[in-house]
Each structure stands twice: as structure tokens, then as C-alpha cells.
Amino acid sequence: MPRKPLNNRRVADVLREIGLILQAQGIAFKPQAYEHAADTILALQEDLSSLYKMCGTRCIDDLPGIGPSITKKIKELVMTGRLAYYDNLKRDYPMDLLALTSIQNVGPKTAVRLYQALGIKTLKDLERAVKAKKIHRLPGFGRKTEDQMLRGLGFLREHKGRTLLHDALPLAEAVVERLRQVPGVTHCDVAGSLRRRRETIGDIDLLITTSKPKLAIQAYKTLPQVSQVLEEGPTYVVVRFSFGMNGDLRILKPGDYGSALVHYTGSREHNILIRERARKLGYKLSEYGFFRGNTRIACKTEADVYKKLKMQWIPPEIREATDEVSLAAAHKIPDLIGYDDLRGDLQVQTDWTDGAASIEAMAREAKARGLSYIAITDHTRALAMTGGLNEKRLREQGREIDRVNKKISGLRILKGTECDVLRDGSLDLSDKVLKTLDIVCISIHNTFQLSELEQTERLIRAMKNPLVNVVFHPTGRVVNRREPYAIDMPRVVRAAKEYHVALEVNGSDRLDLRDLHVRMAIEAGVKLVIDSDAHFIEEFGFLPFGIATARRGWAKKSDVLNTLPVASFLKAIGKNRPVLS
DNA sequence: GCCGTTTTCGGCCCGACTGTTTTCAGTCG
């Protein structure tokens, strides 16, 4: 170990696995240190080995969460491709801990017990044991655990090999930025599911036009993010990024760029529909270009293609073969919310609970990013691990918000909360204190196992409270990591309409509501808010992912309340409370 | 193992829930 190419992903995996082994051994605190270091490595844009070659251990030691001991280990990994400390641990823990613990409710200790009792090392081993009904016979395990594992294995199979939008997009944008600067390059765009902003991405597809193909290919192959060249031809290159995804670059002729961009953006189902339309109009559209008979018709832009097909241009986010093609033909595609339309962010956590920055720091960052208001929505006491606020602390926080509001001009900080919905649907804070806030947002953070009926009624009971304005992340899912809890979304949407409660589109890796539910909400006349759920100043950068998801759900600017200026916004959410400001 | 206007040692998110138990370990947020 490791035999696989040593890219950042691999280094991060090794560190993460060390953390899991230490956790299984019951060691305190060290596991978090390894976990944190792994996160840092994964967020790194530059290839670790290039970084090390450039400035040695100094640059690595400087990274947040990485100190002298882990720096030494990274150096060993980068220099030799192995790590003696890790290899020693693996002798006693030869199981694939990363894979096994990616199943919900399976942690390192469970994985180790499964190995000791049944010799389970891999997901395949586990699947065999589950199917042979061997698990529930072990002491401390039971039928329910076995069923949970079976479901977990299924969830994992569905999501295998796909990268989160949040991880793929910054990488792709950095690559595009770089390629656009290469002499000769006239166009460079991301295509594929990434351009459609799907929540998870398989490969990164890049298209360019250039007068100097060799130069572009050379530039691409030697990007700092690239760890390996997998395939190469005169007009295409496939690489492996150090982050762990493949990237396909295709070089196109300027006259084919429009039709190629349509083709490679997809979706496949969308392409089938517009090819059919092309055929009916006497054209042929394929990955090779746009034709009438055997005559190639130049389409330099996508707009040219859609125009020839007598359609409106269709935003990539909705090219999913729902009804966009027929609506575009009737010129009835609505104006979707734009990436610059948000004026406020209504879910912001601070160092009063599990956020990393002060109220003032978050406010200044929001202002720097062009927002004109934010709501501070720290957790409440039921979420003890975050140091959730009780009523006394919330009042203190209100005074701090008053202080910062006086200090910062051009940005209004709203007093809010992310109030926990308790098991019975009551709220974690009293109405008396909720009344003192500008905005009350609620969310479910525990007891995910209720039946669909119980969970739905729990949430709806909370929504009925006339002080509640917004339901945060209504389905509780985390993309690639956690399934939504069982909940009847059509009923929740109807309740949102009836009780005048907005639903959130959360821009973090929750992306909750998801695209389908956004559309469901909009069609029911329910208003949305789009939030970052920022816990760090950098995480205001999640807002565009929320906007993308809203666009995928066909949201218009008028569907989203935090596109309004603060006074109108407060009026729009206001129910039984006096409108402030 | 990392970190530092609570600095070079002593902190570091800790309580609820679940499934298995008859008192608790493991996981999660």
C-alpha cells in the first residue's frame, strides 16, 4: 500500500483511515486531527507532490490543521508512495474502513467487530454476510441493524463514483480559467452534467476552440491539478485530476462549437428530444455538427442551434427532458432566477454555536460579497453538540447583533434562529423568545427514523406555529451521504402554502430542497428562500449552488423571497409580528 | 495531533437516539 497513484485524494484517504483506526482503538482527539487534515488536503487545489517539490515541507506545515507530525507523514507518502505508520496499523486492521463506515450507522468500532467475528473486510464481504443473514446472529446486533445495513448498501451502490457538485465545480472553473489564458484559445467551457449543475458529477467535460491545438493540449496535460494522462489523441485528452476525477478535453472547430456545446452538455434525453425536432425541421443534429442533408451548417453558438430549431435558448440547468423542449418551442421558458439576484442570506451560523467566525466577521464577508442583509441563525439547545443557544444566550446574542449593526453600514443583520423541531413537533424555544426575533427558521436534526406519517405530522405541527417563517433543509438529506428522512413532501408543500411558511433551498452539500421539490413547491405557489448555511466565511460561496438547484427546479426571481430588499423581505415573511426596519 | 488576543500546555462539541440490551455501546449531528 498504496499501489494506486498517489494523488491528493489518496493521501487524504490514508489520513482519514488512520483517524478511523485510532477511533476504533478508542483514542481521543487524535482521530479528529487526522480527519481535519484529510479535509484540508481534499480542499487543496494544487497537487500535493507539486507543492512539495516547489517548497518542501514548509508549504504543507502551513496548511490549516496540519502540524509537524502529519507533515512528516505526508512527506513520506509523497516521497516513497508508502507510509510505515499506516502499513503497521493496517496489519491489525486490514479491512476497508473507509468503505465500510460510509454506510450509515456503521462506524469504525462496528466495522472492526464485523471483521473479528466474520472476517468482513470489504463491502462485498458485508453484502454477502447481510444476504446470508449472518449479521443478526452476532451478539449486540439484531434484525433491524441487518436491515439498516442492507439499505445502506443499496444507497451506496446508487451513488458510487459520483463527485459532489461543490467539489467538482471549483476545480473545473480553475482549469477553464487557466486554459482561457493559453495563446490561441478562443473558447473554453465546461459542458456535461457539471454545466447543468447536477448535484453529483461523473467526469468533467471541457470543450475548447483554438488555433494552436498542440499548445492547448500541452497546457492541459501539465496543469498543476492533473496527476495522470490517461488517453490522448490529436483533438482530445483524458486526464486524471489529483482530486480524483477524470477530465475530458475536446478541441473543436469554431463552426461546430455551438452544436458541440449542446451535444456535450446533454442531458442525453434532452438531446434525443431536440434531435427529433431537428429531424422534423429537415435538419440533422449530432455530436459531429448541424447538417441539412450532407451540408454542414455552421453554428458558432448554442443560440444559433436553438434558433435554427425555432426554439428559445434553454438554460443548461433545465435540459433534463421534462417539458423544456415543448415549452421552448412555444417560447414559454420563464426567466429563471439569476446568479446575481440574491440580496440576503438567511442561514448563517457563527461561533456562538458551531460556526467558525464571529457575527461581525460573517457580516463583513457577506457585505464584501455584495449581500445587503443576513440572518444569524445559530442552533438551539436541543442540538447540544453545537452548544445550541438557550433563551438567555439568544437574548445576549441579540445584543451583540445590535452592537454590530451599529458598527457596520450597508448591511442589515437580522436576528434569527435555526430552532430545533423536537420529536413531538413542538419547538425548542418558547414563543415568548421567538417573538423577539426578526425571522424564525426551524429544522429537524434528530429522530430521523420516524415513519413518514409521524415525521410529516411532526414537521407540519411545527409549521403551524404562526411565528415560524421558514423550514430549513426540509428533507434532511445530504447529497451522497445521507438519505432524506421519510416525509410526505406534497403534504409539506401544501402545509407551507396554507400556513404561509417559506421552504429553504440549502446551498451546502445538502442541496435541500432538491430540484424536483423546488418545482413542486413553485407550482403550488409556495415561496422559497435560498441560503448558504455558511459556518465559515468561505461558505457564502455555497449560495450559487443553491441558486443552481433553484434554477434546476425552474425557480424565477419572484419565487425567491431573499431576492427582495430587506424591508420588502420582512414584510413578505411577516405574519403576526410587527414589521421592523 | 493540532492549536494559540483564554498560547507552548491544556484544551479539544457532548447529549440524544437507536438497537440492543436489562444498563449501555456506538453513531450521529
Side-chain angles (χ1 to χ4, degrees):
Chain A
M1 201 340 300
R3 279 179 225 104
K4 298 171 194 168
L6 192 133
N7 54 29
N8 292 14
R9 165 61 61 98
R10 190 70 199 133
V11 172
D13 282 351
V14 168
L15 296 176
R16 212 179 290 281
E17 201 172 359
I18 292 172
L20 287 169
I21 293 172
L22 298 175
Q23 227 176 306
Q25 295 175 333
I27 294 169
F29 305 115
K30 281 193 194 185
Q32 288 94 306
Y34 278 96
E35 181 81 20
H36 185 198
D39 286 341
T40 298
I41 299 298
L42 215 54
L44 209 61
Q45 281 283 325
E46 296 243 294
D47 195 53
L48 262 180
S49 12
S50 332
L51 196 67
Y52 179 70
K53 273 178 210 148
M54 207 169 65
C55 70
T57 52
R58 192 170 48 83
C59 284
I60 294 171
D61 204 357
D62 279 351
L63 297 168
I66 296 179
S69 171
I70 293 183
T71 299
K72 221 175 119 195
K73 293 186 172 72
I74 293 175
K75 180 185 166 186
E76 190 181 330
L77 273 168
V78 171
M79 297 282 284
T80 68
R82 303 183 70 89
L83 177 60
Y85 174 72
Y86 174 79
D87 292 345
N88 277 333
L89 286 175
K90 284 302 280 184
R91 268 197 279 278
D92 292 329
Y93 299 89
M95 68 298 274
D96 186 350
L97 275 172
L98 286 177
L100 292 167
T101 58
S102 63
I103 296 175
Q104 256 196 80
N105 300 314
V106 176
K109 292 188 181 179
T110 303
V112 169
R113 283 172 59 201
L114 290 172
Y115 170 68
Q116 286 165 347
L118 298 170
I120 290 171
K121 287 191 192 177
T122 64
L123 287 175
K124 269 208 174 119
D125 296 342
L126 180 62
E127 190 160 6
R128 268 196 291 271
V130 167
K131 287 192 171 152
K133 309 231 178 269
K134 286 184 182 166
I135 306 284
H136 77 269
R137 287 201 285 267
L138 299 175
F141 292 78
R143 297 260 178 210
K144 284 190 173 178
T145 307
E146 200 168 70
D147 288 348
Q148 262 178 4
M149 286 177 175
L150 189 63
R151 280 201 305 277
L153 285 161
F155 180 78
L156 228 52
R157 217 182 358 258
E158 269 172 48
H159 294 81
K160 206 176 164 200
R162 296 193 65 87
T163 302
L164 190 65
L165 173 64
H166 301 56
D167 296 326
L169 190 63
L171 168 71
E173 284 180 338
V175 169
V176 166
E177 203 47 49
R178 198 95 168 221
L179 289 177
R180 281 184 178 155
Q181 286 161 15
V182 174
V185 171
T186 41
H187 289 93
C188 179
D189 288 287
V190 171
S193 52
L194 191 49
R195 182 159 180 251
R196 303 199 312 277
R197 300 293 191 266
R198 268 194 61 176
E199 57 199 42
T200 60
I201 311 299
D203 297 335
I204 294 178
D205 294 302
L206 298 164
L207 306 182
I208 66 169
T209 56
T210 175
S211 56
K212 297 175 177 159
K214 279 185 186 162
L215 198 60
I217 286 176
Q218 188 55 26
Y220 184 61
K221 282 163 39 182
T222 54
L223 286 169
Q225 293 94 336
V226 168
S227 64
Q228 206 187 348
V229 177
L230 301 175
E231 269 180 69
E232 187 175 349
T235 59
Y236 73 95
V237 191
V238 183
V239 301
R240 187 84 181 154
F241 291 114
S242 53
F243 181 77
M245 304 182 76
N246 287 359
D248 300 6
L249 178 78
R250 288 189 179 78
I251 298 177
L252 296 153
K253 296 193 183 87
D256 292 338
Y257 196 66
S259 47
L261 195 51
V262 171
H263 174 80
Y264 286 108
T265 297
S267 62
R268 198 173 59 215
E269 293 74 17
H270 174 86
N271 286 348
I272 289 171
L273 292 177
I274 60 170
R275 273 184 216 155
E276 193 178 299
R277 185 169 171 85
R279 199 169 44 78
K280 282 181 185 157
L281 292 168
Y283 299 108
K284 197 175 83 186
L285 177 62
S286 75
E287 63 178 296
Y288 303 108
F290 197 93
F291 301 88
R292 183 184 281 284
N294 289 325
T295 315
R296 180 183 294 270
I297 301 171
C299 286
K300 287 189 176 175
T301 67
E302 278 193 341
D304 295 340
V305 176
Y306 285 99
K307 200 173 162 189
K308 288 231 162 24
L309 298 176
K310 300 191 191 327
M311 299 163 76
Q312 262 176 298
W313 177 80
I314 301 175
E317 292 91 335
I318 59 170
R319 296 184 197 170
E320 297 291 351
T322 54
D323 47 357
E324 77 278 7
V325 170
S326 55
L327 286 171
H331 289 79
K332 284 185 178 163
I333 299 278
D335 266 341
L336 304 182
I337 179 173
Y339 284 95
D340 295 322
D341 281 342
L342 290 186
R343 301 208 192 188
D345 187 350
L346 305 169
Q347 182 168 184
V348 176
Q349 270 72 233
T350 70
D351 59 5
W352 283 66
T353 59
D354 59 346
S358 66
I359 293 170
E360 183 168 344
M362 291 305 267
R364 289 197 184 281
E365 179 68 18
K367 187 183 166 187
R369 289 176 184 249
L371 295 174
S372 62
Y373 56 99
I374 57 172
I376 301 298
T377 52
D378 276 305
H379 291 289
T380 57
R381 57 193 165 190
L383 211 56
M385 63 142 326
T386 66
L389 305 183
N390 58 26
E391 306 191 340
K392 180 166 168 276
R393 288 272 292 155
L394 191 65
R395 275 194 295 274
E396 284 169 24
Q397 186 182 56
R399 287 193 284 277
E400 170 65 5
I401 291 176
D402 289 337
R403 188 188 72 78
V404 181
N405 260 329
K406 281 186 192 133
K407 208 167 152 188
I408 298 180
S409 64
L411 178 104
R412 165 89 184 268
I413 309 167
L414 301 174
K415 292 172 194 165
T417 177
E418 177 174 7
C419 186
D420 251 58
V421 176
L422 306 181
R423 188 188 175 127
D424 66 355
S426 61
L427 297 179
D428 196 22
L429 295 172
S430 71
D431 284 0
K432 193 177 158 201
V433 68
L434 292 179
K435 267 184 199 161
T436 67
L437 300 174
D438 297 312
I439 180 165
V440 174
C441 311
I442 59 169
S443 49
I444 288 177
H445 288 117
N446 56 33
T447 326
F448 295 144
Q449 317 282 2
L450 295 182
S451 72
E452 180 176 303
L453 184 66
E454 287 170 314
Q455 196 71 278
T456 305
E457 291 188 342
R458 171 193 189 187
L459 184 59
I460 290 178
R461 183 180 164 208
M463 291 164 74
K464 278 184 186 167
N465 183 324
L467 295 167
V468 169
N469 304 117
V470 181
V471 178
F472 279 166
H473 48 76
T475 77
R477 67 122 176 215
V478 182
V479 181
N480 268 4
R481 275 196 295 144
R482 198 170 72 208
E483 286 193 272
Y485 38 71
I487 194 153
D488 182 346
M489 275 312 285
R491 255 192 88 189
V492 170
V493 164
R494 284 198 298 277
K497 178 71 181 164
E498 182 174 354
Y499 304 117
H500 188 55
V501 173
L503 300 181
E504 183 189 52
V505 181
N506 187 300
S508 77
D509 60 355
R510 292 173 174 275
L511 298 180
D512 180 12
L513 298 176
R514 58 169 305 171
D515 44 16
L516 296 173
H517 293 142
V518 169
R519 199 159 184 196
M520 187 192 289
I522 288 169
E523 285 173 356
V526 169
K527 295 296 181 191
L528 305 172
V529 300
I530 300 174
D531 303 324
S532 67
D533 201 353
H535 288 68
F536 298 84
I537 59 171
E538 297 81 7
E539 289 181 353
F540 283 110
F542 289 163
L543 283 172
F545 301 117
I547 298 171
T549 300
R551 284 170 62 87
R552 287 180 56 81
W554 294 60
K556 305 179 293 297
K557 186 177 175 182
S558 58
D559 294 316
V560 180
L561 293 175
N562 50 330
T563 58
L564 295 167
V566 68
S568 330
F569 168 76
L570 286 169
K571 206 170 163 187
I573 62 160
K575 300 205 286 190
N576 298 336
R577 98 190 46 184
V579 174
L580 306 168
S581 157

